[in-house]
Amino acid sequence: MADASGNAPLLSTPATHIFEGDFTTDVPQSHRSSVEIQSRYEIERTAAEIKHGGWTRIALQFPDNMLPDAPAVFESLSQHLAVEQKSPKNTSISLDKDSPYATEDLANIIPKSMPPKLFILADTSYGACCVDEIAAEHVDADLVVHYGRACLSPTARLPVIHVFTYQPLEVDLVVESFKSIYSDYDQAIILTADVTYASHLLKISTALKTRGYRSIFTTDIIHNPLSPLPNRTIPQAVQQDPVKLGEWRLFHISDPPDSLLLILSSRVRSIHVFSTTPSVKTAADVTATVALRRRYALLTSVSTVPIFGILINTLSVKNYLHIVEHVKSCISVAGKKSYTFVVGKVNAAKVANFSEIGAWVVIGCWESSLIDSKDFWKPVLTPFELELALVGDDQRIWSGKWISDFEEILRETKQQPVNQPVSKADTQDSYSIADDHSIGESESEPESVPPEFDLRTGRYVSNTRPIQARPNVEKGKNPTCHHRQLVRRTKGEIAKIGDRASPGAEFLQSNRTWKGLGSDFQIEYDDSRDASNSAAVEGGRSGTARGYLSAHSSTRT
């Protein structure tokens, strides 16, 4: 509201109300000793690998729960890297007797290399289990040191040193829980653990074998999410015949992620998990039957969705662009539409802004691609579940097998490539009168198809198709020329491709109540504006929020 003089109101408080004082927040400090920091975060091994690789700009990636230790790790690692390396022994350099360096020491002649520069990544672009190559490239890093749990998915650009960190574990309690579950000493049992507790497996396995267990296989960590046991070694018999993995029982230390539980549920005979939660610390039989039923019900509920949204939840996992193109192709072949979104960390509030999307497909690592969509407005699927959802109800068969890593999906479809490149010349020469006639027939097709009723939702199915350009072919003219011309559109006119309106634009115009800034007034161009109604341009306020400088006064407000 303007005052009596017609000036704009003051939007800031008086200068007497300016806050003064120290408003710095308390940063959590690490309570670990230097010895504990070096052993927990493997400082010596990390420094040795950095020196061996010759990297000079290193990004240190921490999960949120380890950020209080980040400064201490930074200091300890910097000290180990700053140790001057000794000059090589028995090194001879031929110098002329008249050289000014003839009497100098060899160590003064060889230039000393600068110690590597370290950077702490305070936040991750996506999941904490993935290597954040995007944030590392912002500081021009040539190496990432990843701390904590990791999905061990192959990266696309930067090398990685994984430090899983050492977590304490009550080994005697684990052994007693194991004995209470498996009374048969000849049972084939696979002993595995989360990467943060993997260092205890050898000690646990030795203790169990001394107690009489004869068929225990202890896994080792490998960088292979496509392994029958993701990122773990498998018994020799299973390597020769993967079907034999179903004869083994699995004992897992620490609560596994939901994706790992769904994967193993169809591959091993049974799963027992020793929870490392302080309030539990006991082993229990777990099953993924209920979770698999929910996922199957979820994918069948979206079989009639006309529009899918593709959520890219990673920019660093190798070959993620290939699975994006594969998903787009599957949706297009099914006669449905898709839109691609990059929103950073996925949450319900972000994706709820796009009411046009009927279901979402997450492209991420084999752990982060599985999202519980109970808090989301629309279902969230994985690429594997999408392929099942696009199959007809009379053809869909699911044996309970669940695939999480999109590399396995790409490997299965490698024999049938989907998006083959089309040259520009082929595209221009592909238009003909017959093509134009076929387009006309396809446009009239939905009118002749009887309506389909979905018993799951209680509504009729909307058969919206992807927008297609209809070339206006004339003899002697290039049919694609008019598609590349910029034309001036009046306010409210719907964007078109060829002579067909965009379905997305029609939806926005008819269903959206808010249509952007400036949509509440009519646009008047200079050539149609009445000069009598125009107003003079006046200077506004400038400066910072604690003291604006007005164009009408020299005092700050």
Side-chain angles (χ1 to χ4, degrees), residues 339-525:
Y339 297 91
T340 305
F341 300 85
V342 180
V343 297
K345 292 183 179 179
V346 179
N347 57 49
K350 290 180 180 179
V351 299
N353 291 316
F354 307 98
S355 57
E356 305 84 9
I357 306 301
W360 297 93
V361 184
V362 177
I363 306 298
C365 70
W366 67 276
E367 286 190 14
S368 62
S369 60
L370 178 62
I371 297 178
D372 190 0
S373 57
K374 63 180 180 181
D375 296 330
F376 288 74
W377 188 33
K378 297 297 175 62
V380 183
L381 307 177
T382 65
F384 169 71
E385 294 170 342
L386 173 69
E387 291 186 344
L388 291 176
L390 296 178
V391 177
D393 293 340
D394 55 341
Q395 301 177 355
R396 184 184 302 113
I397 299 176
W398 192 10
S399 60
K401 178 183 178 182
W402 199 82
I403 300 176
S404 179
D405 192 1
F406 59 73
E407 288 284 356
E408 187 171 353
I409 299 176
L410 294 175
R411 186 176 59 180
E412 293 180 355
T413 59
K414 189 176 181 180
Q415 302 300 330
Q416 299 177 356
V418 286
N419 290 324
Q420 296 188 3
V422 180
S423 63
K424 181 179 179 181
D426 295 340
T427 304
Q428 294 179 355
D429 296 340
S430 62
Y431 292 107
S432 64
I433 301 298
D435 295 334
D436 187 66
H437 178 68
S438 63
I439 294 176
E441 291 181 350
S442 64
E443 288 181 347
S444 61
E445 181 182 355
E447 299 178 0
S448 61
V449 175
E452 181 182 355
F453 185 78
D454 189 2
L455 296 176
R456 305 181 189 91
T457 60
R459 298 178 180 179
Y460 284 100
V461 177
S462 175
N463 292 315
T464 57
R465 297 174 302 166
I467 183 172
Q468 298 177 355
R470 181 180 180 180
N472 187 12
V473 181
E474 295 183 10
K475 187 176 181 179
K477 292 185 178 181
N478 189 344
T480 60
C481 290
H482 64 281
H483 297 299
R484 302 174 183 176
Q485 296 178 357
L486 295 178
V487 296
R488 180 175 177 179
R489 297 188 290 111
T490 59
K491 180 179 177 62
E493 183 180 352
I494 297 178
K496 295 182 179 181
I497 298 181
D499 59 350
R500 297 191 57 185
S502 168
E506 291 177 347
F507 183 91
L508 292 176
Q509 188 182 52
S510 59
N511 295 341
R512 284 287 179 94
T513 57
W514 186 79
K515 301 177 182 178
L517 296 175
S519 60
D520 55 344
F521 63 89
Q522 185 69 24
I523 297 178
E524 296 181 355
Y525 294 98

Side-chain angles (χ1 to χ4, degrees), residues 92 107 120 147 211 276 557:
S92 60
I120 297 178
Y147 294 95
R211 285 169 172 78
T276 54
T557 57

